[in-house]
């Protein structure tokens, strides 16, 4: 797998030890595993984070893309890595929430990881064709008049965007047809060609087409409106319990020393406190957080408890 060095510019001396730049260049690098291909929201987060953590920690931070198996390939590699603080995963909600709940024969467990920091949350947008209704009530009326006829692109039945679509449809009392793709790019191409009625996607995948007039964001699946599209409502404003958003976090192998966890957590928090970093994430549809290990651990447990009954109702299971 290809590794990419980020932040190649000279680094300033940091910390009480006053490390010089030549010494930093020789320091053992930290590897952030991104379990997705280059491009996309997780990779975007990983690369921005690596650059800023490198400056804060005073040592090289690499990004290694290890896609495959709905993030299983990358997650398994980190779970089996040495618990020394030099390998971490930039995980999405798929990795540490959906997979443990959905996959019968998953090769890793949530307990194989030690939480470091909850980095951000990312709600999904319903991007509809310009020929479809412009408001949520009008869209619901059309969908009810044409049950199961409107189609939307997803990354598979167990993907977070499909689960978000199914949850929202259930709460609004409508039925739609999902069409499975291997990634966002082909979905967007088919949407622009008019093959799909709508997309359920996160971040820039919806914001850019909306701004270009190539579609219209009908609503967001988050807890609050997206500041970059303040006029567009959330589905929560029309139906209760319609929040369905993925998240990004930083985790290391279980049994990693607490001193190493705290060091990484502080570096991530420092990065996410930077206004420029936060603004760049917001432009991508992400709400920056940067919590401590305990907060992330509590969040993971709450997500598992919240989604378990929802997924059971959907009768989703993967061998």
């Amino acid at each position: 797998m290809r590794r990419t060095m980020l932040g190649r510019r000279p680094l300033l001396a940091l910390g009480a030890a006053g490390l010089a730049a030549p010494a930093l260049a020789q320091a053992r690098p930290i590897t952030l595993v991104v379990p997705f291909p280059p491009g996309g929201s997780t990779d975007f987060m990983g690369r921005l984070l690596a650059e800023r953590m490198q400056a804060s920690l005073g040592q090289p931070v690499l990004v290694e893309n290890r896609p495959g198996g709905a993030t299983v390939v990358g997650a398994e590699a980190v779970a089996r890595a040495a618990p020394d603080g030099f390998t971490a995963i930039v995980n999405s909600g798929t990795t540490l929430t959906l997979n443990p709940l959905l996959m019968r024969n998953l090769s890793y467990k949530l307990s194989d990881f030690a939480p470091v920091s909850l980095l951000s949350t990312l709600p999904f947008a319903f991007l509809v064709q310009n020929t479809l209704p412009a408001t949520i009530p009008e869209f619901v009326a059309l969908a009810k008049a044409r049950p199961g006829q409107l189609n939307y692109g997803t990354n598979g039945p167990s993907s977070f965007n499909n689960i978000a679509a199914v949850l929202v449809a259930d709460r609004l009392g409508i039925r739609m047809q999902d069409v499975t793709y291997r990634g966002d790019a082909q979905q967007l191409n088919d949407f622009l060609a008019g093959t799909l009625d709508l997309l359920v996607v996160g971040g820039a995948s919806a914001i850019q087409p909306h701004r270009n007039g190539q579609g219209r964001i009908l609503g967001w699946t988050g807890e609050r409106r997206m500041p970059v599209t303040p006029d567009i409502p959330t589905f929560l404003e029309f139906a209760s319990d319609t929040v369905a958003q993925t998240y990004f976090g930083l985790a290391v192998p279980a049994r990693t020393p607490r001193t190493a966890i705290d060091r990484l957590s502080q570096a991530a928090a420092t990065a996410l406190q930077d206004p420029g970093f936060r603004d760049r994430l917001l432009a991508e549809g992400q709400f920056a957080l940067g919590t401590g290990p305990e907060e992330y651990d509590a969040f993971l447990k709450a997500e598992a408890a919240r989604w378990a009954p929802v997924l059971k109702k959907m009768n989703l299971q993967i061998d």
Side-chain angles (χ1 to χ4, degrees):
M1 295 291 177
R2 186 184 69 178
R3 292 190 177 192
T4 303
M5 177 76 78
L6 297 186
R8 294 179 181 272
R9 62 184 183 278
L11 298 175
L12 298 177
L14 296 173
L19 295 175
L24 298 182
Q26 297 173 10
R28 180 181 173 186
I30 292 171
T31 298
L32 302 186
V33 173
V34 172
F36 290 93
S41 298
T42 314
D43 187 61
F44 177 80
M45 165 61 83
R47 293 179 185 278
L48 281 182
L49 185 67
E51 183 178 11
R52 282 157 177 78
M53 286 182 67
Q54 175 166 296
S56 176
L57 293 170
Q59 69 188 102
V61 180
L62 310 176
V63 168
E64 181 177 328
N65 294 93
R66 300 198 64 169
T71 80
V72 171
V73 172
E76 186 179 61
V78 174
R80 294 178 177 178
D84 52 16
F86 288 96
T87 304
I89 185 170
V90 180
N91 68 275
S92 69
T94 297
T95 312
L96 296 187
T97 294
L98 294 187
N99 285 351
L101 291 174
L102 292 173
M103 295 188 176
R104 291 189 182 95
N105 301 309
L106 188 61
S107 57
Y108 64 85
K109 306 181 296 297
L110 185 58
S111 59
D112 290 332
F113 300 90
V116 174
S117 178
L118 175 59
L119 304 172
S120 67
T121 57
L122 184 145
F124 298 99
F126 275 47
L127 181 73
V128 302
Q129 295 287 354
N130 290 321
T131 54
L132 292 180
T135 69
I136 290 176
E138 291 172 337
F139 179 84
V140 170
L142 175 66
K144 286 184 175 180
R146 298 164 55 185
Q149 295 181 40
L150 296 178
N151 62 14
Y152 64 95
T154 81
N155 295 323
S158 63
S159 61
F160 230 126
N161 63 336
N162 182 57
I163 289 170
V166 173
L167 178 70
V168 170
D170 178 72
R171 300 297 187 264
L172 296 176
I174 62 176
R175 286 194 298 110
M176 301 184 295
Q177 179 63 48
D178 68 290
V179 182
T180 299
Y181 291 84
R182 300 184 72 175
D184 289 352
Q186 188 57 52
Q187 294 180 50
L188 180 59
N189 288 339
D190 281 4
F191 175 81
L192 296 178
T195 303
L196 293 173
D197 296 309
L198 66 148
L199 295 178
V200 182
V201 289
S205 297
I207 294 172
Q208 201 60 47
H210 174 81
R211 287 177 173 167
N212 292 341
Q214 298 169 305
R216 181 190 302 111
I217 296 178
L218 183 70
W220 290 95
T221 65
E223 299 172 319
R224 54 192 170 112
R225 293 193 179 196
M226 186 64 64
V228 293
T229 57
D231 56 320
I232 297 175
T234 66
F235 289 99
L236 187 61
E237 296 172 38
F238 295 86
S240 62
D241 194 25
T242 51
V243 175
Q245 55 191 5
T246 190
Y247 61 88
F248 301 108
L250 191 65
V252 293
R255 299 178 301 282
T256 297
R258 182 58 193 241
T259 53
I261 292 174
D262 288 342
R263 184 168 180 261
L264 293 174
S265 182
Q266 182 56 52
T270 298
L272 287 158
Q273 288 165 7
D274 178 75
F277 191 6
R278 299 177 73 88
D279 288 345
R280 289 191 67 180
L281 289 179
L282 199 57
E284 290 287 318
Q286 298 185 44
F287 291 102
L289 295 170
T291 72
E294 284 75 23
E295 292 86 350
Y296 190 23
D297 183 53
F299 175 86
L300 288 172
K301 291 174 180 175
E303 282 291 281
R306 176 175 185 262
W307 284 107
V310 175
L311 298 178
K312 184 177 181 180
K313 180 180 179 182
M314 292 181 183
N315 197 31
L316 286 175
Q317 193 87 62
I318 303 173
D319 291 327

